[in-house]
Amino acid sequence: MSAMNEDLPVKASLPHRPKAVSTEALLDVEKARPVLEQIANKWSVLILTVLCTRPSRFNEIMRRLDGITHKALADALKRLERNGLVRREVLTTATPVGVEYTITSLGRSLQQPFEALYAWSMTYGPELGRAQEEYDRIRV
């Protein structure tokens, strides 16, 4: 039995290496969940995507995100700022006082995963729609 244990990888030998999602996702759910709750909701993804292109004011973000309410945008921006993903800057030259939001380098690090998610949605969106229609047809 000890010969079998010698073949097992030792976790201590790879302390800084991220774990493969497919093999140990359930083991780290307690660590990942709070992070994903902050960034993986619909409005956070869309707000960060808007800010990846250029800094924007509140009303500009709201216009670009059709369907978001004032409260939902304000709450999401506060959460993103608190998490270091967005920087809020009060513009002193504007009257009335304006506020501009800029993505931080930490927020920008999410750009590639978000672009991949967007590409996936464009590729598989029609298939997802067909699956939903089929499910609804069978279940109703």
Side-chain angles (χ1 to χ4, degrees):
M1 204 129 139
S2 62
M4 292 173 80
N5 289 339
E6 291 174 347
D7 295 333
L8 295 175
V10 178
K11 286 186 178 183
S13 66
L14 302 171
H16 299 292
R17 188 173 178 183
K19 295 176 183 174
V21 173
S22 61
T23 58
E24 296 192 29
L26 293 177
L27 298 178
D28 285 340
V29 73
E30 289 181 15
K31 292 178 189 176
R33 183 178 180 173
V35 175
L36 292 175
E37 285 175 347
Q38 298 301 315
I39 61 167
N41 65 66
K42 171 176 63 173
W43 295 125
S44 292
V45 170
L46 294 173
I47 291 166
L48 291 170
T49 301
V50 165
L51 294 176
C52 276
T53 59
R54 68 178 180 271
S56 301
R57 290 182 168 204
F58 186 93
N59 286 333
E60 181 182 0
I61 298 169
M62 195 159 178
R63 278 191 301 274
R64 292 183 67 191
L65 298 179
D66 188 38
I68 193 168
T69 65
H70 188 278
K71 182 179 179 353
L73 179 55
D75 290 348
L77 285 167
K78 285 177 191 170
R79 186 177 56 254
L80 292 168
E81 183 182 10
R82 180 175 182 256
N83 288 307
L85 301 171
V86 167
R87 186 177 67 251
R88 179 182 186 269
E89 182 182 350
V90 177
L91 305 172
T92 56
T93 58
T95 305
V97 176
V99 175
E100 187 173 73
Y101 295 90
T102 307
I103 194 164
T104 64
S105 58
L106 181 60
R108 189 162 300 283
S109 70
L110 291 166
Q111 186 172 359
Q112 186 177 9
F114 287 171
E115 287 173 349
L117 186 58
Y118 176 81
W120 185 92
S121 70
M122 292 294 100
T123 301
Y124 296 104
E127 189 174 330
L128 196 67
R130 286 190 298 275
Q132 291 169 353
E133 288 172 3
E134 179 68 16
Y135 178 91
D136 293 344
R137 187 181 60 75
I138 292 170
R139 300 283 188 239
V140 174

